[in-house]
Amino acid sequence: MRKRIDGSQLSVLVFVAVMALKIFMAPGLLIKYAGRDGWIGMAIYVAFELVILLMILFIIKLNPEKTLYEVLSNALGKVIAKVILAVFCVLLFIKLIMMCGEVELFFTTSMLNSIKYVVCFVFLLALLVFFCYKGLTPLSRMAQIFFPFVLAALGILFLLTIQNLDLRGLMPITADGAEIATNMAMFPMWFGDVAVLLGLTGKVKQRKRLVLKGMLTGGISGAIVMYFAIVLFAAYGDYPAIIDYGHNISNMVVYSSGSYLFGRFDIPIFCILMISIFVQIALTFFTITQFCGDIVERGSSVTWGIVVAIILFIMSQFFFNNKTELFNLGTGWPRWLCLAIEIILPVLVLVVSIINKRRTKNENDVQTQNSYS
């Protein structure tokens, strides 16, 4: 029997997925490259992601017993389903490289340049493989346990910034005009992280108002992301030259609020927020290993976990081991793959799910009529 997570655990994972990379490095990048009005484009991205989330939640609701691979293979055949999952795995793996790289950027930029991150990274990979062995339920339970601490950290950062928020720093709005769209086209890789939730299809216990609760959680998470983004754009929108890739919401919030006078107490607070990043990394890693098993149809989750961990270590430490390489990866060809997959795949799966649901209902109606005749 397939183990499933409950609705409250799904809500926590939704909250984490909507925040993910957007609350980490994205605001600083958008200030630097999209300018003061970049928050408008960010708001459009977040709103668009909530639409994707709505489709994914309906997909989960419509397929209580079938995984994503089963849904696709029943409708399109095994070969096409495996090709789709393989392309999706490539996108998720690229996002995984970026998330791990940005975690390293956080520690080396905000804390110590001399930190031996490679040692920490090895332990992280071992923990990710462990979650492949234990399954999705322990991961979601861990996220559920730490969720109140993440909310408390967000609350503290909110109190640090709200009294110094000056929205006049956002004025005049749309001063850059068409440059907003041009510059925002660089950053789809930092958005759309909810797509990984497609991997939860067939793994969630069906409860009432599952879609409503998921959307409410996602909307709150999106509002939190936009609040902190607006704080940063209001403070630094006129000074994009002083921002660089690696400057994150932790130290930027403290400096914009004037709280640096009391020391860098933002670091332990943001380390709590890092739990949400870890949950997103673990969920993405777990989903990749599950898809690899579906594609090859052999090998345990642990075996695929070890394989993915080795490849991730090599790619992160030897090919994308600095912020220039990470930035080029995020703004290169993968961004078009990201847009295509995160738009087309949820729409395709939702349409297929609706068709399958109606077909099943019609077959049940026919069987019922035959039983009475």
Side-chain angles (χ1 to χ4, degrees), residues 14 18 49-57 194 197 214-215 218:
V14 166
V18 172
E49 187 164 325
L50 291 177
V51 174
I52 297 175
L53 173 62
L54 179 62
M55 289 190 286
I56 292 174
L57 290 173
V194 295
L197 298 175
M215 287 304 300

Side-chain angles (χ1 to χ4, degrees), residues 57-64 206-211:
L57 290 173
F58 271 116
I59 290 168
I60 293 174
K61 184 72 174 178
L62 290 170
N63 299 281
Q206 298 298 305
R207 293 290 186 270
K208 292 182 179 179
R209 301 184 181 90
L210 183 146
V211 175

Side-chain angles (χ1 to χ4, degrees), residues 14-25:
V14 166
F15 185 91
V16 168
V18 172
M19 281 204 316
L21 292 176
K22 289 182 291 301
I23 202 170
F24 200 35
M25 298 291 182

Side-chain angles (χ1 to χ4, degrees), residues 238-249:
D238 289 327
Y239 312 100
I242 68 174
I243 304 299
D244 196 11
Y245 188 24
H247 290 139
N248 55 76
I249 199 170

Side-chain angles (χ1 to χ4, degrees), residues 12 27 43-44 79 100 108 119 133 155 160 178 212 230 235 269 281 292 296 302 314 325-326 334 338 371:
V12 172
I44 294 172
V79 174
C100 292
T108 56
V119 178
Y133 169 71
L160 284 174
L212 178 61
I230 287 174
I269 296 173
I281 290 174
C292 288
V296 180
V302 176
I314 293 172
E325 294 295 336
L326 281 175
C338 177
S371 65

